[in-house]
Amino acid sequence: MKILLLEDDLILSAELGKFLEQNNFEVKKAYDGELFLREVQKNQYDIYLLDINVPKISGLEVCEKIRLDDKNTPIIMISAYGDLSDKKDAFNRLADDYLVKPFQFEELLMRINSLTRRNGTENKSGDEVISIDNLTINKTEQKVFRNGQEIALTVKEFQLLLLLAEHPGRTFSKQQISELVWQHNFNTNTNTVEVYINFLRKKIDKDFDTKLIHTRSGFGYYLKVQQ
């Protein structure tokens, strides 16, 4: 997913951009409102992050201008202004969410994921191909490629991989995986999930330096770009 970030604090912009990229977002940065609006006209994005107090055109005016032509793309305001009146002004201009600085990056990530699910922009139904690093999953043809090389998967291996890839960074427990992939067709006290995770690791990760499938000890499994 592509994010366009409006933030004139160069350090915060760099740190936030790096965090989002580590969580599988493509981030383009603008440091003033004019540059941001020019970029909006040139390219399509899945979500906008707007600081309010930026040069040339404020984040509030940017939000208002975006909404003249685009009613659907989620907009999150990120601002040091925390008064209720500031938030009310942003929501009156049809922002979708408002986060007061300083904030934890993980909280922003949760809000992004919530908005994209609600607006249907997370892995849009029209986008039948999911790409994470050099892993490509064609949902329509049920084919998987890593670095351009096709990888043969069984039906359950494909379903498990797709579950993880459609929610990059989200940890799924054994119970959740059994419900979503196997519909409780086996005893969750068995090691079926671990076995299939190992199958996927051998096929997806073994021959590559960048590992994608990870274990969060005591919680479950997730897919994410991680060196």
Side-chain angles (χ1 to χ4, degrees):
M1 282 178 36
K2 297 176 66 175
I3 293 177
L4 184 56
L5 169 65
L6 176 59
E7 173 58 68
D8 66 331
D9 183 325
L10 299 185
I11 294 176
L12 177 58
S13 178
E15 291 178 348
L16 186 52
K18 181 179 179 181
F19 171 79
L20 291 170
E21 287 167 354
Q22 288 173 340
N23 283 275
N24 304 313
F25 294 97
E26 180 181 335
V27 183
K28 175 78 174 181
K29 307 181 191 76
Y31 305 105
D32 68 62
E34 283 186 1
L35 287 175
F36 188 94
L37 287 173
R38 265 185 247 153
E39 183 61 30
V40 169
Q41 295 299 317
K42 289 192 298 182
N43 295 295
Q44 184 175 352
Y45 289 87
D46 298 297
I47 195 162
Y48 299 121
L49 302 181
L50 309 180
D51 186 13
I52 290 179
N53 189 20
V54 295
K56 298 187 178 178
I57 302 176
S58 76
L60 289 174
E61 292 176 89
V62 167
C63 179
E64 193 169 26
K65 290 178 183 294
I66 290 173
R67 286 296 185 237
L68 291 175
D69 301 311
D70 180 354
K71 307 297 183 186
N72 298 318
T73 303
I75 296 176
I76 300 178
M77 311 303 297
I78 49 174
S79 174
Y81 302 141
D83 291 344
L84 182 60
S85 60
D86 297 313
K87 297 177 182 179
K88 183 178 179 180
D89 196 4
F91 286 118
N92 283 341
R93 298 176 196 235
L94 302 183
D96 295 285
D97 205 347
Y98 194 108
L99 196 55
V100 179
K101 299 178 182 178
F103 55 85
Q104 294 187 26
F105 288 177
E106 287 288 348
E107 181 178 358
L108 175 61
L109 180 61
M110 288 188 291
R111 293 180 185 229
I112 289 172
N113 289 336
S114 176
L115 277 173
T116 53
R117 284 194 301 271
R118 191 184 313 159
N119 287 273
T121 57
E122 183 179 59
N123 293 319
K124 296 177 184 177
S125 58
D127 295 335
E128 295 302 324
V129 175
I130 298 173
S131 295
I132 299 174
D133 193 58
N134 57 0
L135 174 71
T136 302
I137 303 172
N138 188 310
K139 295 166 63 176
T140 302
E141 299 180 3
Q142 297 190 345
K143 291 183 177 181
V144 176
F145 301 85
R146 185 98 197 247
N147 201 28
Q149 178 181 349
E150 185 171 359
I151 299 171
L153 299 180
T154 66
V155 172
K156 288 303 179 187
E157 288 170 350
F158 180 84
Q159 291 174 349
L160 176 54
L161 179 65
L162 185 60
L163 172 67
L164 299 177
E166 286 187 321
H167 307 276
R170 175 179 168 182
T171 301
F172 287 88
S173 68
K174 284 176 57 179
Q175 181 69 30
Q176 290 171 321
I177 291 172
S178 71
E179 291 174 358
L180 295 169
V181 177
W182 278 272
Q183 291 79 45
H184 282 301
N185 287 335
F186 66 89
N187 186 337
T188 54
N189 291 324
T190 68
N191 65 345
T192 302
V193 172
E194 291 96 325
V195 169
Y196 273 81
I197 287 290
N198 286 333
F199 287 160
L200 282 182
R201 280 179 168 146
K202 288 177 182 178
K203 293 182 177 183
I204 301 297
D205 280 344
K206 182 179 178 182
D207 297 327
F208 298 91
D209 293 333
T210 301
K211 308 306 179 186
L212 298 177
I213 300 170
H214 309 282
T215 301
R216 186 180 176 199
S217 182
F219 292 90
Y221 306 95
Y222 64 97
L223 190 150
K224 178 181 175 182
V225 178
Q226 191 166 304
Q227 299 295 332

